[in-house]
């Protein structure tokens, strides 16, 4: 019986992962070691009961009494806080889903790799902020990283059996998000509600807004560089409104291998869960005749400054990815809170990257995981200061009134 854990089980990726676990036999086919979530302790407890988990962990210590109450009468252990997440990750498991949102996933994911598990990685921040550390931990401890982002799973599948030396380019597709057809002047006035509606995917609020700003795609470009050992000039982004082709790999003979499928995260989750086999999945089959046609357009770096900034981060390397991610998260907080406008998010990130560019060693890889939270904290503090300054001066509609920073 396979031992599995799901970190971030109450989010969209986690819920879909548990759906597949239950469809493939649930507690009768898997020993569920740990489930972790946030403040939705009722859902977390319900999941833990249904799959008879050994332990359920909430990331928030103040939620522990409610979790214990929800699990009362069961034999399921309850725990809370960052240390409990790491302890849960260190429990023996054959397969762990890392679906915690944000930098909070770094420590438990790293702990899991150091115990030689297979880590299904749905958390972009792990590769963006600490990619070399994660890859080295996997190599040293005999662990395996399986990508779960739909784009990176697509690349991983297209590369199966191929020689990386023959790879010429990797093309990551993007839906373009909620504002892909909006004029720039209207985007400047976009509301949080408008940015929280995705045309193709059903996702959480934060990642949906990241899709509209293309910060999620910037993160994915950086993640692809780290996961597959690519040069920045080998990685491209293209707008593909139908979201049917998730990624393409181009080879030196001119061939392009595309991974296609309906927009459903259970494709990538199921592939990682059953790898190296393919299992039957409850996803809609693609009807090419009904689809009719596919369309593509350039990913304009002027319209999407997050992509330009991501390329600068890739060129710099090292801890620049941690700065990009931290500043992006703080800027997103500011937008959701109404402190800055939609286009101000990129301006804040650019300013933080510029502020930290003189820092000695920013381009050097972290040697320990402790360096990443320190850099993260510094970038967040600078980001909050920049947001406070912009909020005090009045919200701006675009980033063009700010100095163009360089890392």
């Amino acid at each position: 019986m396979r031992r599995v854990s799901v970190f971030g089980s109450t989010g969209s990726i986690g819920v879909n992962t548990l759906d597949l676990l239950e469809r493939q036999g649930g507690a009768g086919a898997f020993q569920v070691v740990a489930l972790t979530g946030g403040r939705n302790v009722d859902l977390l407890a319900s999941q833990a009961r249904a799959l008879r988990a050994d332990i359920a962990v909430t990331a928030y210590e103040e939620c522990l009494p409610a979790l214990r109450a929800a699990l009362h009468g069961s034999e399921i252990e309850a725990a809370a806080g960052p240390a409990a997440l790491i302890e849960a990750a260190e429990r023996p498991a054959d397969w762990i889903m890392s679906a915690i949102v944000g930098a909070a996933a770094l420590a438990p994911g790293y702990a899991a790799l150091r115990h030689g598990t297979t880590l299904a990685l749905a958390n972009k921040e792990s590769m963006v902020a600490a990619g070399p550390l994660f890859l080295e931990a996997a190599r040293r401890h005999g662990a395996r990283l399986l990508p779960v982002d739909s784009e990176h799973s697509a690349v991983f599948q297209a590369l199966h059996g191929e020689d990386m030396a023959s790879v010429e380019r990797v093309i990551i597709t993007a839906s373009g998000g909620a504002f892909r057809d909006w004029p720039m002047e209207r985007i400047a006035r976009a509301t949080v509600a408008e940015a929280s509606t995705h045309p193709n995917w059903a996702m959480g609020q934060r990642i949906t807004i990241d899709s509209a700003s293309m910060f999620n795609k910037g993160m994915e470009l950086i993640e692809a560089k780290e996961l597959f050992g690519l040069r920045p000039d080998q990685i491209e982004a293209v707008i593909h409104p139908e979201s049917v082709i998730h990624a393409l790999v181009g080879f030196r003979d001119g061939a392009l291998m595309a991974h296609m499928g309906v927009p459903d995260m259970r494709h990538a989750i199921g592939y990682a869960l059953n790898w190296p086999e393919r299992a039957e999945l409850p996803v809609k089959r693609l009807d090419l005749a009904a689809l009719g046609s596919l369309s593509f357009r350039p990913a304009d770096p002027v319209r999407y400054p997050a992509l330009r900034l991501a390329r600068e981060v890739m060129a710099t390397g090292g801890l620049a990815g941690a700065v990009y991610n931290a500043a992006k998260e703080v800027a997103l907080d500011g937008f959701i809170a109404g402190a800055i406008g939609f286009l101000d998010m990129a301006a804040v990130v650019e300013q933080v990257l510029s502020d930290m560019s003189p820092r000695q060693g920013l381009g050097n890889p972290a040697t320990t995981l402790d360096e990443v939270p320190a850099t993260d904290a510094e970038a967040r503090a600078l980001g909050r200061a920049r947001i406070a300054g912009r909020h005090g001066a009045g919200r701006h509609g675009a980033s063009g009134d700010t100095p163009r920073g360089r890392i």
Side-chain angles (χ1 to χ4, degrees), residues 293-333:
S293 63
L294 301 174
S295 60
F296 305 91
R297 67 182 77 161
D300 182 2
V302 175
R303 184 179 182 86
Y304 302 113
L307 298 180
R308 169 177 57 81
L309 295 173
R311 292 205 171 276
E312 294 178 6
V313 166
M314 287 193 291
T316 301
L319 287 163
V323 175
Y324 180 90
N325 172 66
K328 183 269 296 183
E329 289 192 5
V330 168
L332 178 57
D333 290 338

Side-chain angles (χ1 to χ4, degrees), residues 175 180 200 240-245 261 263 291 293-296:
S175 68
R180 65 188 176 207
N200 298 348
H240 172 47
E242 295 83 6
S243 294
V244 169
I245 296 179
L291 183 64
S293 63
L294 301 174
S295 60
F296 305 91

Side-chain angles (χ1 to χ4, degrees), residues 53-124:
D54 295 340
I55 184 172
V57 182
T58 170
Y60 302 99
E61 293 181 356
E62 64 271 24
C63 293
L64 181 56
L67 179 60
R68 282 177 171 157
L71 290 172
H72 181 71
S74 74
E75 297 182 353
I76 301 167
E77 184 180 350
L85 288 173
I86 294 173
E87 191 277 331
E90 291 175 338
R91 296 192 178 201
D94 304 304
W95 187 91
I96 294 179
M97 168 61 76
S98 176
I100 297 174
V101 175
L106 267 65
Y110 190 66
L113 289 175
R114 294 179 68 181
H115 283 76
T117 191
T118 293
L119 188 67
L121 194 60
N123 171 270
K124 297 177 176 65

Side-chain angles (χ1 to χ4, degrees), residues 38-234:
R39 298 187 184 279
N40 192 349
V41 295
D42 288 337
L43 176 58
L44 177 60
S46 174
Q47 293 172 335
R49 286 178 179 274
L51 287 164
R52 301 201 290 273
D54 295 340
I55 184 172
V57 182
T58 170
Y60 302 99
E61 293 181 356
E62 64 271 24
C63 293
L64 181 56
L67 179 60
R68 282 177 171 157
L71 290 172
H72 181 71
S74 74
E75 297 182 353
I76 301 167
E77 184 180 350
L85 288 173
I86 294 173
E87 191 277 331
E90 291 175 338
R91 296 192 178 201
D94 304 304
W95 187 91
I96 294 179
M97 168 61 76
S98 176
I100 297 174
V101 175
L106 267 65
Y110 190 66
L113 289 175
R114 294 179 68 181
H115 283 76
T117 191
T118 293
L119 188 67
L121 194 60
N123 171 270
K124 297 177 176 65
E125 291 79 7
S126 297
M127 283 291 107
V128 171
L133 285 175
F134 269 58
L135 293 171
E136 175 58 21
R139 184 198 65 78
R140 186 184 307 124
H141 298 285
R144 181 175 293 278
L145 275 168
L146 296 176
V148 176
D149 266 348
S150 59
E151 296 82 1
H152 302 92
S153 176
V155 174
F156 183 72
Q157 294 181 55
L159 288 173
H160 181 70
E162 301 287 352
D163 181 357
M164 281 300 297
S166 68
V167 175
E168 187 175 74
R169 57 181 174 151
V170 166
I171 303 171
I172 302 292
T173 61
S175 68
F179 307 141
R180 65 188 176 207
D181 299 317
W182 286 30
M184 288 294 291
E185 58 272 15
R186 186 182 173 195
I187 295 175
R189 301 187 299 274
T191 67
V192 173
E194 290 169 332
S196 301
T197 303
H198 197 281
N200 298 348
W201 298 89
M203 305 181 293
Q205 182 190 49
R206 295 181 70 85
I207 192 172
T208 302
I209 297 174
D210 278 348
S211 176
S213 67
M214 292 283 273
F215 268 111
N216 75 318
K217 207 54 53 177
M219 297 277 284
E220 287 170 9
L221 296 181
I222 302 168
E223 185 180 4
K225 171 184 176 289
E226 300 295 343
L227 272 173
F228 304 111
L230 300 166
R231 301 187 312 271
D233 63 283
Q234 289 180 290

Side-chain angles (χ1 to χ4, degrees), residues 201 243-244 246 260-265 267 283-287:
W201 298 89
S243 294
V244 169
H246 305 303
M260 302 174 68
V262 297
D264 189 328
M265 280 305 303
H267 274 296
V283 297
K284 183 179 178 181
R285 273 41 178 177
L286 191 62
D287 185 336

